[in-house]
Amino acid sequence: MSRKSFFEERTVAEMQDMNHSEAYRQRGLVERIDGLQEDEGLIVRAQIIPGRFFLYPRVKTAEDASRMWLKYGDTIKLHYPETRRDSDSSPLTPLQVRAAELAKLSGMKEEEINFLGLSSRPEFGDRTVREFPFVYSPIGLRIFAYAEKQAGGIDVNVKYRDSARAVSDGVEVVVGVPSRSRRKARYEYKLMHVPVIRNPNNLAAVQLLRPQVIVDECGEPVEGRTKHDLWRMRYGGEQSEEGKFIVYQPQDVAAYIAIIKKESESHNLNPLVMNPFPIFSRRGAMIDKKLMNNVLIFDKTLSSKSKLRKPHLAERCVLLARAIGVFGHDEIAYWDPARDGKLRDYDWKVS
């Protein structure tokens, strides 16, 4: 299916026609990308994905290596309080936990920052690893902006707010998130353990946040997750108990922001305070926009004459992690409304 116009990006051919420079090394690369003007292009001839991912027997191309990175790439582990009791007595917020870990990137050499995203594993509840690739933050923000501007918003239905379990475990929220593809229905599913009601159990509840497919009145599952996410969930389910994991998707970011928006209308800021996702600043989001509209990767494994392509998802994750390391957490992975304006007003249009 073709993408809706709001999500259109420059093609490889269009970028080849731009005035461009070339980058042969990784150090200083994110500063060059950040400094690109709307009509400037950059061809990257440095290898972004760590070399060890090209050594797997089944890896024949850079695309294969990127896919392996998305499965097995290194993540930055978030250190929440270990027990539910410790979580209930902790004054920490997810933002403080994230900021403390991401601040460590500033002490690393740019070319040595090779991370897919964030991960955590609660030592209570389902004890399932949660992963969040960095690139899903700007993608989720773009989906939210589209929903707000052109699709009547994201559907949010908070269920069982007044139940006793809603206080201790968070609430379940049914959401409807517009697709990026033309003529495709919304993704409808639940987010479980959303910290809507302010109480000491919030930090424990948000560690258990997870999406859940819903069923219709006939008991059939509603198409609520992307094919990529369903594949990842099946893949995880084939592993040992220790190997199961949840990968949060861009739709989860967009949906959670919509929950923040809806609750803030009644002056409830708890979902914002307990937000588990990094919400990128305008600058951070625009770096990813430039990656998809101004940057080409030289790939010797391609059969095309130019051997140029757009960055893979895995490469965008690495470069966004490096942007956090070079410019700082607050500059890239933190939304400041006074500085960045409304999330819906980030400039995604390509002129």
Side-chain angles (χ1 to χ4, degrees), residues 137 140-141 144 252-262 279 343:
S137 179
L141 292 177
F144 174 77
D252 301 329
V253 177
Y256 195 94
I257 294 171
I259 294 170
I260 291 173
K261 177 178 180 288
K262 181 171 182 177
I279 300 180
L343 294 171

Side-chain angles (χ1 to χ4, degrees), residues 75-90:
T75 58
I76 299 170
K77 293 178 174 56
L78 300 177
H79 293 90
Y80 285 100
E82 289 190 2
T83 68
R84 181 181 284 273
R85 177 176 293 181
D86 290 341
S87 292
D88 292 346
S89 61
S90 173

Side-chain angles (χ1 to χ4, degrees), residues 64-245:
D64 293 337
S66 290
R67 286 174 177 167
M68 294 298 285
W69 174 253
L70 284 175
K71 293 181 187 177
Y72 306 114
D74 296 328
T75 58
I76 299 170
K77 293 178 174 56
L78 300 177
H79 293 90
Y80 285 100
E82 289 190 2
T83 68
R84 181 181 284 273
R85 177 176 293 181
D86 290 341
S87 292
D88 292 346
S89 61
S90 173
L92 290 173
T93 66
L95 171 60
Q96 291 170 322
V97 174
R98 283 196 305 276
E101 296 300 329
L102 292 175
K104 298 174 183 177
L105 297 179
S106 296
M108 299 176 64
K109 294 181 180 179
E110 179 179 345
E111 64 273 20
E112 294 177 354
I113 300 175
N114 294 309
F115 293 104
L116 166 67
L118 303 172
S119 67
S120 63
R121 182 180 185 271
E123 296 302 323
F124 49 87
D126 58 28
R127 290 180 167 83
T128 301
V129 173
R130 272 92 169 146
E131 291 185 358
F132 182 76
F134 285 122
V135 73
Y136 287 172
S137 179
I139 295 175
L141 292 177
R142 193 171 183 180
I143 294 172
F144 174 77
Y146 165 75
E148 287 287 297
K149 289 188 171 185
Q150 298 187 19
I154 291 172
D155 299 330
V156 174
N157 182 12
V158 178
K159 308 278 282 185
Y160 313 119
R161 182 192 295 264
D162 298 326
S163 71
R165 293 195 62 180
V167 176
S168 61
D169 297 338
V171 303
E172 60 181 69
V173 183
V174 178
V175 296
V177 183
S179 172
R180 289 171 285 173
S181 300
R182 297 179 188 273
R183 296 180 297 279
K184 185 171 176 58
R186 291 181 176 232
Y187 294 105
E188 295 185 20
Y189 62 99
K190 292 180 184 178
L191 277 179
M192 309 294 292
H193 304 291
V194 181
V196 169
I197 303 169
R198 184 177 182 181
N199 66 83
N201 305 122
N202 284 161
L203 191 62
V206 80
Q207 292 180 64
L208 300 175
L209 183 78
R210 62 181 173 87
Q212 179 173 295
V213 174
I214 58 178
V215 296
D216 62 21
E217 57 189 15
C218 298
E220 293 295 323
V222 175
E223 185 175 0
R225 306 300 288 171
T226 65
K227 290 182 179 180
H228 174 74
D229 188 36
L230 290 172
W231 181 85
R232 288 294 295 266
M233 287 196 288
R234 286 197 296 271
Y235 177 86
E238 294 169 358
Q239 307 308 299
S240 66
E241 187 69 23
E242 307 245 330
K244 291 183 179 180
F245 60 92

Side-chain angles (χ1 to χ4, degrees), residues 269-294:
L269 299 181
N270 200 65
L272 173 62
V273 173
M274 285 292 153
N275 166 40
F277 302 120
I279 300 180
F280 273 29
S281 66
R282 183 182 292 267
R283 184 179 187 182
M286 293 307 101
I287 287 176
D288 190 61
K289 176 186 173 183
K290 291 174 183 178
L291 284 173
M292 296 309 294
N293 292 283
N294 299 73

